[in-house]
Amino acid sequence: PEPVRAPAREQAQYAERTEQRQPPVAEAPAPQPSQPPQAKPPEREEPALTSGERERAGSTNPPAREEPPEAALPANDRLAQAARDVKEHDDPAVRERAAMVLGTVGDDTSVQPLVAALKDRDERVRAAAAKALGLLGRAGAVEALVGALTDASARVRVEAIGALQLIGDTRAAGALIELLGFNDPDLRRRAATALGDMKAPHAVKALIARLKDQDARVRFRAAEALGKIGDPSAAGALNRALGDEDADVRSAAVEALRKLQPTTSTAPA
């Protein structure tokens, strides 16, 4: 027997009700165009705090290094401040620095406070004062520097020799000649060099004697000094120095003889 079929109208109504009960199918979202990653905004730089603001904020960052207050002073005021400091300041380091200020940017008015500083209780200050007087180069300091050659401190004596060498006044030659007989070979060597730079003619005899010094460095400086002075009376001693056991001394003797007399024999006597 044939199956019983529902009327066409009823089938259509059933299909319509079935569609209404089905949940709607969600549509997939349309793909969005890709965007480049956004750059991270720069961090805002905080303004620098003043020292007072740092203190109130409890910051542990140290403040920027400040220049010495005298560096900002006009030249005349700076010299006046240095002259006061080298005489009156309790800290020897400040007095030492003040002496060097007077030596590097000072003038004639700086000589007197530096001469007074040669008597300072601290050897560092005395040495700085001697060096500063040499930098100033004023002949008015020669007498005080000659006195400093007998200072208890070797450091001060060395600086005094260097200062006299820079000034170049032959009035100091006598005191430097005396140093050639000191036990300290460094002082003898420096004194010989200073005498040569001064071209002190009355030092020739003492320098000839130093050509036999036990220290080769002293013999070398003595030969150099004799060449700078240029006194022909030193030729015989310099010829004998050509046989020195030290090569540097022999070389210095050759050069000194060349300066004395280009035709002088350089054969050992």
Side-chain angles (χ1 to χ4, degrees), residues 4 9 12 18 112 129 131 202-203 205 219 221 226 256 265:
V4 179
R9 181 179 177 183
T18 303
Q112 190 279 329
K131 183 175 183 178
H202 47 296
K205 184 177 179 180
R219 300 197 301 274
R221 294 301 182 184
L226 289 168
S265 171

Side-chain angles (χ1 to χ4, degrees), residues 62 83 162 183 195 224 241:
N183 291 330
L195 288 166
E224 274 193 334

Side-chain angles (χ1 to χ4, degrees), residues 10-161:
E10 292 181 359
Q11 291 180 1
Q13 291 176 348
Y14 176 78
E16 184 179 352
R17 288 194 299 270
T18 303
E19 288 178 0
Q20 290 177 352
R21 287 196 298 267
Q22 296 294 329
V25 178
E27 296 182 358
Q32 298 294 326
S34 61
Q35 297 181 356
Q38 295 184 355
K40 182 180 179 181
E43 296 181 359
R44 185 170 65 90
E45 183 176 351
E46 295 294 335
L49 299 178
T50 65
S51 59
E53 290 171 336
R54 281 195 299 269
E55 184 176 353
R56 289 192 296 272
S59 172
T60 58
N61 294 330
R65 182 177 66 85
E66 297 181 358
E67 294 294 330
E70 65 268 17
L73 295 174
N76 291 339
D77 293 343
R78 188 182 182 194
L79 287 178
Q81 180 65 54
R84 287 192 297 271
D85 284 345
V86 78
K87 179 181 179 181
E88 302 171 356
H89 206 284
D90 293 334
D91 187 347
V94 174
R95 299 199 301 275
E96 180 184 10
R97 184 169 68 244
M100 293 311 301
V101 169
L102 293 173
T104 52
V105 298
D107 52 25
D108 290 341
T109 64
S110 303
V111 174
Q112 190 279 329
L114 287 172
V115 167
L118 289 174
K119 302 295 185 181
D120 194 279
R121 61 186 178 275
D122 192 292
E123 72 167 354
R124 294 173 298 172
V125 181
R126 300 197 304 275
K131 183 175 183 178
L133 286 168
L135 294 174
L136 280 178
R138 303 303 198 270
V142 169
E143 184 178 352
L145 287 167
V146 167
L149 293 176
T150 58
D151 193 280
S153 167
R155 177 178 177 182
V156 177
R157 295 195 298 268
V158 165
E159 292 295 354
I161 294 172

Side-chain angles (χ1 to χ4, degrees), residues 1 8 15 24 39 51 56 90 92 143 145 163 184 188 218 228 235 237 260 263:
S51 59
R56 289 192 296 272
D90 293 334
E143 184 178 352
L145 287 167
D184 186 347
R188 299 198 302 273
V218 178
K228 291 178 181 179
L260 292 182
T263 59

